[in-house]
Amino acid sequence: MQVPFLDLKLQYKSIKEEVGIEIQKVLDNTAYILGKPVSDFENNFAEAHNVKHCVGTSSGTDGNHLVLWALGIKPGDEVIIPANTFIATAWGVTLCGAKPVLVDCHPDNYNLDPEKVEAAITLKTKAIVAVHLYGQPAEMNNLKEIAEKHNIVLIEDAAQAHLAEYNGKKVGGLSAASSFSFYPGKNLGAYGEAGAVLTNDDQLAQTIKMMREHGQSKKYYHDTFGHNYRMEGIQGAVLGVKLKYLDKWTDGRRRAASKYREFLGKVSDIKLPAEMPNVKHVYHLFVIQINGSDSAKRQERRDALQQFLNENGVSSGLHYAIPLHEQKCFEYLGYKKGDFPVTEQLAESGLSLPMYPELTDKQIGYVSDKVKDFFAK
Ligand SMILES: *Cc1c(COP(=O)(O)O)cnc(C)c1O
């Protein structure tokens, strides 16, 4: 049996006709950039997250930059981000000329550890970016309390967490502003590059809207700096169709996760991802960890498990193999191996199993059997 890590074709086939009609409409109207399909999608995406404003962007990375830029983050400022995240979280900070300050994740939910966040705050700290990594919301109440106490702004990178919930509330509106990615492999994926920013703040929404389009308040009136961070019409049309199915697809991911738990719950060699009691996890990724006290051995076993799965037709991933503080581009920040032990352990011993809504119980059973076979050897 073959189990890919992600299968985008299955989903495409299920909406091929509907999405084809909407793409054709964009072509017929020659509305290639922004336009009605984008604004309709913006309204619906905002509503789906119970947030007032949505601004469609050219990518999630651009959304990260827009939010911090519009908030006035500038050279000399420090912005706290997790060491355990995709690098695009950091680009939002560096593109503003500010310094990313890394903080380790919590061993339960793999998101920013609030205690360590507080310890990293200095007089230069201007913002905290909470990433809802793998689809599980960060501890927003604690982070909010810390941000308010120190008078700094809290924002969300929700690129992996469309429709996820924290204390019964959707992510995206749990902070000053949030960014989402619609990279094709994300829980809601476009047919190209796209992203969005959500905010309940009228003024901030207005600024972000201007900055997305060359800083203009109307055509050729540039009131502020900006860039070309617009969403394309075709992406808006595709996302508009796909948003209608997102609840169903999210249920599919959650079902797959609970099947994995059912099949793998008793395997003592691995740790399954925790789902915190106060959240709805949307399982962008299902990351297991290899247990064991020796770090080199853990990594060796993880790599051997990945290879064994591969040989048996199962693809898996590493999220993320090299933490931000060990990346060459961030050498100048002066961190060293050992600074973020929880993040480092995840990099050494984490393995992302196949995860997408259309995974069948049979496939999940097969993947789980192969994991068990490996440890029985
Ligand atoms: C995917 C991702 C991004 C970047 O989104 P793009 O649309 O690919 O630019 C940012 N942050 C996180 C955590 C992501 O997973």
Side-chain angles (χ1 to χ4, degrees):
M1 187 186 271
Q2 294 289 319
V3 188
F5 181 63
L6 175 64
D7 187 342
L8 292 178
K9 280 191 185 149
L10 277 174
Q11 195 180 71
Y12 172 60
K13 279 183 196 147
S14 76
I15 55 168
K16 189 172 173 176
E17 281 184 20
E18 201 181 353
V19 90
I21 290 168
E22 295 306 317
I23 290 174
Q24 190 61 51
K25 274 191 207 162
V26 175
L27 297 179
D28 290 341
N29 294 327
T30 62
Y32 303 125
I33 292 164
L34 297 176
K36 193 165 185 305
V38 172
S39 58
D40 285 350
F41 169 71
E42 287 172 334
N43 291 336
N44 293 332
F45 194 70
E47 194 180 294
H49 290 84
N50 294 314
V51 177
K52 223 166 143 188
H53 305 281
C54 172
V55 184
T57 62
S58 37
S59 75
T61 307
D62 297 340
N64 277 339
H65 179 216
L66 269 175
V67 168
L68 290 169
W69 200 11
L71 285 166
I73 302 301
K74 56 183 190 313
D77 293 343
E78 293 180 358
V79 177
I80 291 176
I81 64 169
N84 182 39
T85 185
F86 178 58
I87 197 142
T89 309
W91 298 147
V93 182
T94 55
L95 283 167
C96 290
K99 179 181 168 185
V101 172
L102 307 182
V103 167
D104 207 358
C105 60
H106 194 278
D108 290 342
N109 66 3
Y110 303 145
N111 282 320
L112 272 182
D113 186 333
E115 257 177 51
K116 293 177 182 168
V117 167
E118 184 141 40
I121 291 173
T122 73
L123 289 172
K124 291 180 180 167
T125 309
K126 292 289 160 58
I128 301 168
V129 185
V131 182
H132 307 310
L133 204 69
Y134 310 147
Q136 170 142 265
E139 258 320 315
M140 295 303 285
N141 278 357
N142 298 353
L143 293 171
K144 202 171 216 169
E145 210 172 277
I146 293 165
E148 277 168 10
K149 183 170 143 195
H150 295 272
N151 198 24
I152 53 189
V153 65
L154 175 64
I155 64 170
E156 296 155 81
D157 178 339
Q160 303 186 357
H162 319 71
L163 299 185
E165 292 176 22
Y166 176 80
N167 286 341
K169 287 175 82 176
K170 293 272 175 9
V171 300
L174 304 171
S175 65
S178 56
S179 62
F180 287 80
S181 166
F182 306 123
Y183 178 77
K186 296 287 161 74
N187 289 27
L188 178 61
Y191 291 174
E193 303 277 4
V197 171
L198 294 186
T199 180
N200 283 309
D201 183 324
D202 299 343
Q203 185 64 49
L204 191 60
Q206 194 52 40
T207 307
I208 289 170
K209 239 181 172 158
M210 282 200 291
M211 285 181 146
R212 162 182 77 171
E213 196 163 23
H214 305 295
Q216 61 189 22
S217 52
K218 56 183 181 183
K219 207 165 175 73
Y220 303 134
Y221 286 74
H222 308 281
D223 297 4
T224 175
F225 280 6
H227 199 65
N228 175 358
Y229 280 159
R230 294 175 298 223
M231 186 189 278
E232 293 183 344
I234 286 178
Q235 305 313 333
V238 169
L239 291 165
V241 170
K242 292 183 76 174
L243 182 58
K244 292 186 280 182
Y245 300 97
L246 189 56
D247 265 322
K248 190 182 100 183
W249 290 334
T250 302
D251 287 346
R253 289 175 181 275
R254 290 178 51 77
R255 174 200 48 86
S258 70
K259 275 288 159 201
Y260 274 129
R261 287 187 199 289
E262 184 186 324
F263 295 142
L264 292 171
K266 292 203 182 79
V267 182
S268 62
D269 302 271
I270 58 173
K271 178 183 165 190
L272 298 181
E275 177 161 339
M276 307 310 284
N278 59 336
V279 309
K280 180 178 176 184
H281 194 320
V282 296
Y283 294 100
H284 174 56
L285 295 168
F286 192 86
V287 182
I288 64 168
Q289 269 200 82
I290 308 316
N291 289 330
S293 50
D294 182 312
S295 107
K297 273 216 181 91
R298 273 199 312 258
Q299 181 155 9
E300 217 171 88
R301 283 187 106 193
R302 190 274 311 273
D303 293 345
L305 171 60
Q306 183 168 38
Q307 197 186 332
F308 180 78
L309 291 176
N310 232 337
E311 286 161 7
N312 285 280
V314 177
S315 309
S316 56
L318 306 181
H319 299 89
Y320 293 89
I322 303 170
L324 298 195
H325 67 291
E326 293 176 35
Q327 297 288 351
K328 197 169 172 188
C329 65
F330 289 134
E331 261 172 20
Y332 75 97
L333 293 173
Y335 295 113
K336 60 185 187 310
K337 204 170 165 68
D339 282 347
F340 306 108
V342 184
T343 297
E344 287 169 28
Q345 177 161 345
L346 201 54
E348 285 158 9
S349 61
L351 189 70
S352 309
L353 298 182
M355 174 51 81
Y356 49 92
E358 298 82 7
L359 262 186
T360 64
D361 291 357
K362 218 170 164 179
Q363 286 175 307
I364 298 165
Y366 176 78
V367 174
S368 304
D369 284 345
K370 291 301 147 195
V371 170
K372 287 180 196 162
D373 289 350
F374 174 80
F375 287 108
K377 278 199 299 184

